[in-house]
Amino acid sequence: MKTIIVYESKHGATAKCAQDLSKVLEGDTVLCNLKEDEIPNLSEYDAIVIGGPVYAGQIPKKLKHWIGANQTEFDNKKLGVFICGMTKGEKTVELIRNAVPSEIIKKASAVEFLGGAFYMNRMNFFEKWILKMVSKSDDELVFEHGPEGDYIENFDEVALNRFAGQMNHE
């Protein structure tokens, strides 16, 4: 099976999920970041995976526009959708439903929330300020320190493998 993963990543968490997913999907997999790459002809692929972060309950505008412009391409393809963010538990289901068009979710063989990360060195001043305000009221947000600065990673490997299993099987 030939699969394309089309995603948008602002700070790198969605890119990491897309890369990790490409390693566990069967067949040939091509990664396309909407912010950097030109999207090849979708008719060349058997499966399409769409991925993006959720900010303030929405996927990025460029990704949303791309989905809307390519909906007919999804009709005869195996389709998967993954979302990244730092929400946990039951809220993730609601977040996916609100962020991704319902007709896309209905067509998808796999829909998962894969977790996310906060990389402070990749954020602008306003994003850092908001995160600091939120982290003061959430004791579960524990920053670690690495060679590139402070970060929090909360990726869900179980969800990633479940997603790959659903995409790999007919």
Side-chain angles (χ1 to χ4, degrees):
M1 181 163 58
K2 193 170 179 185
T3 302
I4 185 168
I5 301 175
V6 179
Y7 66 96
E8 186 170 344
S9 186
K10 185 172 183 179
H11 299 299
T14 305
K16 181 184 182 328
C17 286
Q19 291 163 0
D20 289 352
L21 192 55
S22 74
K23 294 173 187 172
V24 293
L25 289 174
E26 294 173 356
D28 296 329
T29 305
V30 173
L31 293 168
C32 285
N33 184 341
L34 280 175
K35 290 180 84 173
E36 301 170 359
D37 304 320
E38 188 172 322
I39 307 301
N41 186 341
L42 296 176
S43 66
E44 299 174 14
Y45 297 91
D46 305 304
I48 300 169
V49 174
I50 302 166
V54 174
Y55 297 109
Q58 298 294 313
I59 58 175
K61 287 180 185 177
K62 190 170 188 172
L63 181 60
K64 192 176 233 177
H65 175 73
W66 183 84
I67 291 170
N70 288 283
Q71 281 195 29
T72 57
E73 292 287 339
F74 307 148
D75 289 341
N76 299 315
K77 309 281 184 192
K78 189 156 197 175
L79 183 64
V81 177
F82 73 89
I83 296 297
C84 294
M86 294 296 280
T87 303
K88 296 178 186 174
E90 291 297 316
K91 292 180 181 178
T92 61
V93 175
E94 183 181 333
L95 192 60
I96 291 170
R97 284 190 189 133
N98 292 335
V100 180
S102 60
E103 57 273 12
I104 299 302
I105 292 174
K106 288 176 188 171
K107 291 179 186 179
S109 300
V111 178
E112 288 287 348
F113 189 88
L114 300 183
F118 292 132
Y119 301 115
M120 295 296 280
N121 66 322
R122 300 176 190 171
M123 295 179 175
N124 65 38
F125 173 80
F126 184 66
E127 292 166 329
K128 288 178 187 178
W129 181 77
I130 290 174
L131 182 56
K132 285 181 182 179
M133 298 305 285
V134 170
S135 65
K136 286 180 183 176
S137 64
D138 188 344
D139 14 338
E140 290 185 26
L141 294 178
V142 179
F143 285 92
E144 296 181 37
H145 188 76
E148 293 188 34
D150 292 340
Y151 68 94
I152 298 173
E153 289 184 331
N154 185 31
F155 295 108
D156 188 341
E157 194 155 328
V158 172
L160 183 122
N161 288 318
R162 184 173 48 238
F163 184 96
Q166 292 167 339
M167 290 300 293
N168 288 336
H169 296 96
E170 296 299 319

